[in-house]
Amino acid sequence: MIDYQSILDEIYLEALNSSYKGEVASYIPELATIDVSNFGVYLKQLNGNSYSIGDWDKPFSIQSISKVLTLSKALQLIDCNIWDRVDVEPSGNPFNFLSLLEQENGIPRNPLINSGAIVVADILVSKLENPKEDFINYIRDLANDQTIDYNYKVAASEKEKGFKNYAIANLLKSYGNLKNPVEDVLDFYFHQCSIELNCEQITKVFYLFSNKGKCIQEIKRLTLSQVKRVNAIMLTCGFYDEAGEFAFTVGLPGKSGVGGGIVALLPNNFVIATWSPGLNEKGNSLIGMKALEQFTTKTGESIF
Ligand code: GLN
């Protein structure tokens, strides 16, 4: 029997004792003020058990973690037709890299870098009747939690400084890979990134990716093949130019965000979320990555 709580306790102590915890994302002014010493973990197993430690119940900005959720909603709405407009290859480049998009004629490498996520946002703006309202309701539904919401201050703060995302959206538009006005698509994108969740809520929202497409209430939301695709993309593209490192050290499909959150999962087994707002130079949570490496090493539980 694995003693999960003791393992989380050990990970917590090690995190507290690390002298360097990375740097909070300062390019989104509202995120620059978050205390770098926050650290929480929540583990939700499919057998009904859960374990937690530290600041697991404090909400934070999920940022790029939202890209997996918009992708899953787009799959529900138009399924395979997404792949004419976005590829599924790792980019090996930072999340907000521009040059590759020009070299590849406006087709983003994958849906988890900014350019790909902006195309997915465009699909949702086209297909949803009230995009922001319908999308937040989708997230609330997945977690069975009506309290989940956008953080409008964070969205406005990113919009004010979102020059690179404007550049990406304009480049996509010039290649004809954005159907709606740049302003509308980015407004949706900045809001999806601003959604606030705590570690427990993240494990609930992501439950379906571990549970063969059935959400926390055991209602089928995605097909088996859609779940396979989302998990494969998380494994190969979820950490940008550190996706190889995450697969190598942690060995689970997962996704990070510049708010310092990471979610990872073992199909048919568990979902785990960590939060530590200090980032490494690739924009992934420094302590979160270490904690997950420790977790899969100590439990021996990874997809490999
Ligand atoms: N909102 C952020 C951006 O577009 C998301 C990036 C991230 O979390 N890696 O820059």
Side-chain angles (χ1 to χ4, degrees):
M1 272 285 282
I2 301 173
D3 186 350
Y4 291 99
Q5 192 59 51
S6 303
I7 291 175
L8 293 193
D9 293 348
E10 284 168 32
I11 289 172
Y12 184 69
L13 267 185
E14 209 166 302
L16 281 191
N17 291 332
S18 355
S19 50
Y20 179 62
K21 295 189 165 74
E23 308 289 330
V24 295
S26 53
Y27 76 101
I28 302 176
E30 272 297 307
L31 297 185
T33 57
I34 310 284
D35 183 357
V36 77
S37 66
N38 281 295
F39 177 65
V41 185
Y42 198 94
L43 168 68
K44 185 170 204 61
Q45 296 179 320
L46 266 59
N47 65 10
N49 293 337
S50 11
Y51 306 87
S52 56
I53 190 86
D55 301 309
W56 62 270
D57 58 348
K58 282 197 199 167
F60 60 90
S61 191
I62 65 168
Q63 293 295 319
S64 281
I65 292 175
S66 66
K67 294 169 179 171
V68 180
L69 305 168
T70 49
L71 173 64
S72 71
K73 186 71 208 170
L75 280 168
Q76 270 188 355
L77 293 168
I78 65 167
D79 200 38
C80 290
N81 295 336
I82 298 177
W83 312 121
D84 305 335
R85 294 179 59 188
V86 190
D87 208 345
V88 293
E89 295 299 336
S91 73
N93 282 305
F95 58 87
N96 54 5
F97 198 64
L98 269 155
S99 324
L100 200 62
L101 192 57
E102 194 167 26
Q103 275 165 31
E104 298 182 351
N105 299 318
I107 303 292
R109 270 287 171 102
N110 67 66
L112 300 186
I113 50 174
N114 287 15
S115 53
I118 290 170
V119 169
V120 174
D122 184 49
I123 293 170
L124 296 190
V125 169
S126 294
K127 294 283 166 190
L128 296 174
E129 206 164 313
N130 301 299
K132 281 190 277 189
E133 201 182 317
D134 295 354
F135 182 66
I136 201 72
N137 282 333
Y138 171 63
I139 306 300
R140 288 172 179 159
D141 242 36
L142 287 182
N144 191 24
D145 182 345
Q146 294 304 309
T147 67
I148 293 173
D149 215 340
Y150 298 111
N151 180 325
Y152 294 95
K153 261 174 101 174
V154 170
S157 163
E158 184 171 6
K159 186 173 193 168
E160 208 180 299
K161 301 274 175 186
F163 308 114
K164 267 216 153 167
N165 286 323
Y166 274 97
I168 290 171
N170 278 295
L171 202 51
L172 287 166
K173 189 87 184 159
S174 77
Y175 283 103
N177 202 3
L178 211 68
K179 310 296 176 202
N180 296 283
V182 164
E183 203 54 56
D184 296 359
V185 179
L186 287 183
D187 180 64
F188 180 86
Y189 174 76
F190 294 141
H191 281 85
Q192 72 171 73
C193 289
S194 82
I195 292 174
E196 284 194 332
L197 297 173
N198 63 34
C199 290
E200 181 187 14
Q201 288 170 319
I202 290 188
T203 63
K204 287 185 175 171
V205 174
F206 274 73
Y207 194 83
L208 81 165
F209 302 115
S210 174
N211 190 35
K212 297 190 166 92
K214 285 189 197 157
C215 68
I216 194 95
Q217 294 170 287
E218 291 296 331
I219 304 167
K220 189 96 172 158
R221 297 289 187 207
L222 292 177
T223 65
L224 274 185
S225 115
Q226 288 169 335
V227 168
K228 179 181 74 180
R229 288 178 173 157
V230 173
N231 285 337
I233 291 171
M234 279 201 269
L235 183 73
T236 53
C237 312
F239 297 80
Y240 321 112
D241 42 344
E242 226 174 15
E245 179 78 15
F246 193 82
F248 183 78
T249 55
V250 179
L252 294 172
K255 184 74 201 86
S256 62
V258 292
I262 299 183
V263 60
L265 61 97
L266 182 60
N268 310 317
N269 203 315
F270 65 77
V271 187
I272 187 165
T274 61
W275 178 46
S276 171
L279 308 178
N280 64 19
E281 68 288 355
K282 306 278 169 110
N284 296 316
S285 170
L286 179 76
I287 300 292
M289 277 189 64
K290 283 193 184 153
L292 289 166
E293 185 272 318
Q294 286 290 300
F295 180 78
T296 54
T297 303
K298 287 175 195 274
T299 59
E301 293 185 325
S302 86
I303 62 168
F304 305 110

